[in-house]
Amino acid sequence: MVVPGCSAPGLWVRGFGQCLGSLFTLFSKPLCSAAAAASQPLDAQRLAERLRAQKQQQKTKEPAPTNPVQRRVRELVRFTEQLQRVHPNVLAKALSRGIVHQDKELVVINKPYGLPVHGGPGVKLCISDVLPVLAKILHGPKAKPLHLCHRLDKETTGVMVLAWEKEVAHQVQELFRTRQVRSLSWEDPLEEGITTHSSILAWEIPWTEEPGGLQSTGCKEQDTMEAITVRVPVPEAGVVDIPIVEKEAQGQQHHHKMTLSPSYCMDDGKMVRVRSSRNAQLAVTQYQVLSSSLSAALLELQPITGIKHQLRVHMSFGLDCPILGDHKYSDWNRLAPQKLSAGILKKLGLQQSKARHLPLHLHACQLTLPALQPQKEELTLLCRPPRYFVNSLRRLGLKMPSRDHSADEEAAQPGAQ
């Protein structure tokens, strides 16, 4: 707090113990004259620097955690905070070092954790803000800004496609919309052993059967995601077909969340159809367990539709297997850190009090784009998971599928995000 016309040193409070002394100094001194204020103007930048230095000094006084997992969690929290404080040029240069693919039409980056794609409340810096700078780094000072082709949540990592021209971006967006962007092929979900968790009449959306499973002709965007979940879904492969709607949660803190809006419910042991909410949106997620232990699983997820927070809602409220690090959707009524079992905490080497810093373990691992031009070939994009994802797999006793061993090994090396 700064009172105009008074000297700054009398107002500088460094701790609770000095509070009374500072207040005594403040009220014991006479008010400064206008001439004195003009001769010693307050430097806002200098005061801000002193505040930052004080906060940094307080952080350095905190004892460093001896547990390597807790150290890594703290590093990740600081990294996320720094992403909102860096200069746009610095962020653009960091994104340029994470380029997975680049040609005359597209640029594909490996999106880091904690970086929003679009601006919003409390967002100081996002990917869309630095696209002009990133274009100049790659193509020189006269380059036009890059264009977003799709979106990922702030906490999600992995494949993100950008385009040099707006027409190409619209073309890729249309491929996402019509689900011509192909992901890993796997067995037809209607075959034996694949279960559909459905709350509507069987497949009430337009389907066309193609090699590699069912295809939706009206989905918004689709790729292959990997997620570590708390508990193992039953059955181990299937389709969650339950509409999603945004509602206000009635808890200690009023907040809004996406939640399930099923078309059927149980009434006296009988399945009855209920009236769907007008605002409910069709949501379909294909899933398969790739590796599992007693308390956790590695899942391959394919969002057939592109509803906000669809994967997180379907995993937590549909299968009762929330994604590790999902502090928003692990409990409906509370806004609180994810409650983990003693077994998972022991394997991760974490205390429950530190679980609030655990990042969301959801990664966009692979994307296959069809040829954009007649002479071109389809493009398969593969992004290695971040280091915290790989370390959690190892600690939980889960195995990463052998898609790209070199990528996994590289992700586990020190210095990888």
Side-chain angles (χ1 to χ4, degrees):
M1 178 183 291
V2 176
V3 178
C6 295
S7 59
L11 297 174
W12 190 255
V13 182
R14 288 186 172 82
F16 182 77
Q18 298 177 348
C19 182
L20 294 177
S22 300
L23 290 175
F24 178 79
T25 304
L26 173 62
F27 290 104
S28 63
K29 289 186 176 181
L31 292 176
C32 304
S33 63
S39 61
Q40 295 181 351
L42 292 175
D43 190 338
Q45 182 177 0
R46 189 169 66 250
L47 291 176
E49 290 175 354
R50 292 175 68 180
L51 280 171
R52 284 196 293 267
Q54 182 190 23
K55 290 182 179 179
Q56 186 63 31
Q57 187 177 7
Q58 291 176 351
K59 287 184 178 180
T60 55
K61 289 182 180 179
E62 296 178 5
T66 56
N67 188 295
V69 177
Q70 295 184 12
R71 269 203 313 270
R72 179 59 184 161
V73 167
R74 176 180 288 187
E75 291 173 6
L76 193 63
V77 172
R78 290 180 179 175
F79 171 75
T80 305
E81 294 173 348
Q82 290 171 358
L83 286 176
Q84 293 295 305
R85 295 198 300 263
V86 300
H87 192 276
N89 293 356
V90 177
L91 178 58
K93 193 168 184 180
L95 293 178
S96 69
R97 291 195 294 266
I99 289 179
V100 177
H101 172 82
Q102 180 182 355
D103 57 30
K104 295 181 179 179
E105 296 174 332
L106 302 173
V107 174
V108 183
I109 62 174
N110 189 350
K111 179 189 170 298
Y113 171 82
L115 181 62
V117 176
H118 297 286
V123 175
K124 299 179 181 178
L125 194 60
C126 59
I127 289 180
S128 59
D129 291 340
V130 301
L131 291 183
V133 184
L134 179 60
K136 291 178 181 179
I137 292 176
L138 299 178
H139 269 196
K142 296 183 179 180
K144 296 180 180 180
L146 287 157
H147 301 276
L148 292 167
C149 296
H150 63 129
R151 67 186 185 274
L152 290 175
D153 289 342
K154 173 184 175 181
E155 297 87 359
T156 305
T157 61
V159 180
M160 167 145 280
V161 183
L162 312 172
W164 288 108
E165 301 293 338
K166 186 177 293 185
E167 294 75 13
V168 176
H170 290 164
Q171 184 179 359
V172 176
Q173 290 167 5
E174 183 65 16
L175 294 176
F176 275 107
R177 191 188 69 80
T178 57
R179 204 181 183 270
Q180 296 180 53
V181 178
R182 233 185 37 244
S183 55
L184 292 179
S185 59
W186 56 309
E187 56 190 332
D188 191 324
L190 294 185
E191 291 180 1
E192 185 178 358
I194 307 295
T195 301
T196 301
H197 298 261
S198 178
S199 67
I200 61 175
L201 293 177
W203 310 108
E204 287 185 351
I205 53 178
W207 296 99
T208 59
E209 190 164 354
E210 296 179 7
L214 293 180
Q215 308 289 328
S216 168
T217 59
C219 65
K220 198 167 184 179
E221 61 179 67
Q222 207 272 335
D223 53 0
T224 300
M225 315 284 286
E226 287 177 348
I228 299 177
T229 61
V230 179
R231 295 183 290 274
V232 183
V234 179
E236 293 191 350
V239 174
V240 182
D241 182 2
I242 308 176
I244 290 177
V245 67
E246 186 172 17
K247 289 185 178 180
E248 182 179 0
Q250 302 295 331
Q252 295 181 350
Q253 296 175 301
H254 291 285
H255 56 283
H256 288 81
K257 290 182 181 179
M258 308 299 287
T259 188
L260 302 178
S261 180
S263 301
Y264 289 88
C265 69
M266 296 297 294
D267 186 11
D268 292 334
K270 297 181 180 180
M271 183 76 70
V272 296
R273 189 179 180 101
V274 296
R275 180 178 297 178
S276 301
S277 170
R278 291 183 178 180
N279 299 323
Q281 303 179 73
L282 186 69
V284 183
T285 300
Q286 209 169 17
Y287 75 94
Q288 184 176 23
V289 175
L290 301 178
S291 178
S292 64
S293 63
L294 292 176
S295 56
L298 171 64
L299 267 63
E300 179 182 284
L301 304 176
Q302 296 182 339
I304 307 301
T305 53
I307 308 304
K308 176 184 176 182
H309 297 169
Q310 170 184 320
L311 299 180
R312 298 164 67 179
V313 173
H314 275 172
M315 292 302 103
S316 183
F317 302 148
L319 295 177
D320 192 29
C321 297
I323 298 176
L324 183 64
D326 192 348
H327 308 290
K328 183 171 185 176
Y329 289 103
S330 292
D331 190 289
W332 166 249
N333 291 316
R334 296 192 310 153
L335 280 175
Q338 185 179 42
K339 185 71 174 178
L340 297 174
S341 66
I344 289 184
L345 289 172
K346 183 178 181 180
K347 289 181 179 179
L348 292 178
L350 276 176
Q351 299 174 357
Q352 181 59 47
S353 60
K354 302 296 183 182
R356 66 184 184 276
H357 298 310
L358 199 63
L360 182 71
H361 287 64
L362 180 61
H363 177 68
C365 60
Q366 184 169 330
L367 196 66
T368 300
L369 289 171
L372 299 178
Q373 301 295 337
Q375 289 83 11
K376 295 289 186 71
E377 297 181 354
E378 68 176 19
L379 181 63
T380 298
L381 306 166
L382 184 67
C383 269
R384 57 178 173 81
R387 187 170 63 165
Y388 71 81
F389 196 104
V390 177
N391 288 342
S392 296
L393 284 175
R394 177 174 52 82
R395 286 181 169 270
L396 292 172
L398 304 174
K399 295 181 180 179
M400 177 71 72
S402 56
R403 293 177 188 144
D404 190 350
H405 293 289
S406 60
D408 296 343
E409 291 172 1
E410 183 182 356
Q413 294 299 321
Q417 186 223 333

